Amino acid sequence: MKGLYVHIPFCGSKCLYCDFASYPRREADMPGYVDAVLREAEMRRAQWGSFAPDTIFWGGGTPSLLPVKEFVRLTKGLGEVLDLSRVREFTLEANPGTIDEEKLAAYAACGVDRMSLGLQAAQPALLKAIGRRHSPEDFARSVVLIRAAGIRRVNGDMMTGLPGQTVAQARETARFLTDAGVSHVSCYALKVEEGTPLYGLREAGKVQVPDDDAERDMFHAAREVLESAGYARYEISNFALPGEECLHNLLYWRRGQYWGLGCAAASFWGAERATNVAEIDEYKTFIDENKLPIAGKEELTPEDAAFEEIMLGLRLTRGVDCPGFALRHGWDLRERYRETIEGLKAQGLILQEGDRLRLTRLGMDVQNHVLLEFM
């Protein structure tokens, strides 16, 4: 499978934990940014040839802040540059409270069939503590509007390890999502990244974040609620009702090829990984000068590719298909890492089931430790 990622860097306000390429109060830049993304698509086609993605994902930022006119112009313009006839899934990220009937009608008409909404927490005090502007009620109303527009698949995001969060609140948030009827849940641990406002507050002693053990207790409580409601865990942080897994994210974890367009977007094509510049003005300057907006790139060695497949494959509950791995890389994972695998089995971190190697639940909690053993 092949995927297309489009980064929309505009947002209403910057969340306290956010270190993504997102910029508030830049509405005046939207038309010029759409022009630049369309031009980048043309430049990519000239560099790499024709492209027919199976999945599309618009992330941000907040893509739903684009005016309908600009959303339609960008979608149709990409369809003129790329072959979108094979698309099986088109996902758009949105913040609760930023969508309405007019926008959703345009999304559905342009082929969007999955929306991804960030709830993060079902408690207003926790939302305020991380700088989120919406309410839980905004989220629930947004899900109703999305379904009424004929968009059936809805992702809901939640976070664990938030300042002041309890296990009971994590459980309540998971239950809120299941009651809202979303088809997919992503449950992420908060990461306090250097340079974010939350990092500064924590370092100044003004905010306390739960430790790793407390965060894992929250995740386990949320997992129990989700699994009891019929959501199967298919990746470390992701749960879905039967048949509702996110194809675009699966493409990443299976090392599929993809193009990334826009600020900070990443591409993986052939053996090359490349990342675009992050700032809007710098991105537009590159495009205006008829240059690809590359901030950095690397050519993966065969060893890099093999380790990536192990790292990404072990994120999935199905794990790594060992015979398939051997066909792609020319060596048997089980033979080369026999001692490592046996040691991890003894620790209860990994299982070998037939031709598949996968992490246990405990192994998924400490995946970084497992990967260090393989390195």
Side-chain angles (χ1 to χ4, degrees):
M1 284 208 313
K2 298 180 180 67
L4 172 67
Y5 175 80
V6 180
H7 191 76
I8 307 298
F10 307 103
C11 61
S13 63
K14 193 84 167 174
C15 298
L16 298 181
Y17 58 86
C18 179
D19 72 334
F20 296 129
S22 61
Y23 306 100
R25 298 177 296 279
R26 299 288 298 264
E27 291 82 1
D29 292 304
M30 290 178 178
Y33 184 78
V34 169
D35 292 339
V37 171
L38 290 173
R39 177 62 187 135
E40 186 192 357
E42 293 173 349
M43 295 164 71
R44 292 289 180 190
R45 184 180 63 181
Q47 178 195 31
W48 286 331
S50 61
F51 183 58
D54 300 280
T55 65
I56 300 174
F57 194 106
W58 287 29
T62 308
S64 53
L65 287 182
L66 275 182
V68 167
K69 177 183 175 182
E70 297 303 331
F71 171 84
V72 172
R73 185 164 72 90
L74 181 52
T75 305
K76 290 188 175 180
L78 289 173
E80 293 171 1
V81 178
L82 311 175
D83 177 5
L84 304 185
S85 64
R86 289 172 41 182
V87 173
R88 298 168 54 193
E89 177 186 271
F90 184 169
T91 304
L92 183 78
E93 284 187 345
N95 277 350
T98 64
I99 52 177
D100 56 30
E101 288 89 347
E102 181 189 10
K103 286 183 178 179
L104 288 165
Y107 299 161
C110 289
V112 173
D113 60 2
R114 183 189 288 265
M115 297 284 294
S116 184
L117 297 175
L119 171 64
Q120 314 314 357
Q123 299 77 28
L126 291 183
L127 293 173
K128 183 178 180 181
I130 57 175
R132 300 289 289 185
R133 300 175 68 184
H134 70 270
S135 68
E137 291 73 26
D138 289 334
F139 180 94
R141 282 193 293 269
S142 294
V143 173
V144 172
L145 287 173
I146 291 167
R147 291 275 167 70
I151 300 173
R152 186 174 62 82
R153 295 181 171 91
V154 184
N155 300 358
D157 292 352
M158 65 172 287
M159 298 177 76
T160 52
L162 299 176
Q165 190 178 25
T166 66
V167 170
Q169 288 173 326
R171 186 179 293 112
E172 181 183 13
T173 297
R175 191 169 294 115
F176 185 96
L177 286 167
T178 63
D179 289 346
V182 300
S183 52
H184 183 287
V185 176
S186 297
C187 183
Y188 299 113
L190 172 69
K191 291 183 179 179
V192 183
E193 302 286 0
E194 189 170 357
T196 62
L198 189 59
Y199 180 89
L201 291 170
R202 188 189 68 179
E203 294 303 294
K206 296 179 180 179
V207 165
Q208 288 188 331
V209 177
D211 62 25
D212 290 344
D213 289 341
E215 184 280 321
R216 284 293 84 187
D217 289 342
M218 295 176 200
F219 177 85
H220 296 158
R223 181 190 67 200
E224 180 181 331
V225 170
L226 294 170
E227 291 181 341
S228 295
Y231 296 75
R233 187 184 189 186
Y234 71 99
E235 190 268 345
I236 282 181
S237 302
N238 286 273
F239 301 77
L241 293 174
E244 299 295 332
E245 296 84 359
C246 182
L247 296 181
H248 188 82
N249 286 341
L250 281 169
L251 178 143
Y252 291 151
W253 297 318
R254 292 170 177 166
R255 296 190 75 249
Q257 302 268 284
Y258 53 89
W259 289 14
L261 304 177
C263 293
S267 298
F268 178 38
W269 197 248
E272 180 183 287
R273 289 197 182 277
T275 305
N276 285 353
V277 297
E279 207 280 320
I280 294 174
D281 291 333
E282 185 181 11
Y283 172 77
K284 290 166 68 176
T285 296
F286 268 91
I287 299 299
D288 289 343
E289 295 176 354
N290 205 33
K291 299 176 184 175
L292 286 170
I294 303 298
K297 62 182 179 180
E298 63 173 331
E299 193 82 11
L300 298 184
T301 67
E303 292 77 16
D304 293 333
F307 181 73
E308 270 196 0
E309 183 163 342
I310 295 170
M311 175 185 69
L312 295 171
L314 288 179
R315 291 188 65 89
L316 298 169
T317 53
R318 284 177 53 80
V320 178
D321 169 30
C322 295
F325 181 96
L327 284 173
R328 285 183 289 276
H329 301 287
W331 49 272
D332 193 315
L333 168 65
R334 294 163 294 185
E335 289 299 321
R336 180 172 295 189
Y337 289 105
R338 181 181 297 276
E339 290 186 11
T340 298
I341 292 169
E342 290 305 317
L344 292 169
K345 282 182 182 177
Q347 297 175 63
L349 302 179
I350 207 164
L351 291 172
Q352 192 170 329
E353 296 178 334
D355 288 331
R356 305 197 76 87
L357 196 67
R358 67 175 184 85
L359 296 182
T360 63
R361 280 188 166 181
L362 177 60
M364 286 197 159
D365 280 342
V366 293
Q367 191 212 23
N368 287 341
H369 166 74
V370 173
L371 294 177
L372 284 172
E373 294 295 311
F374 281 100
M375 291 176 69

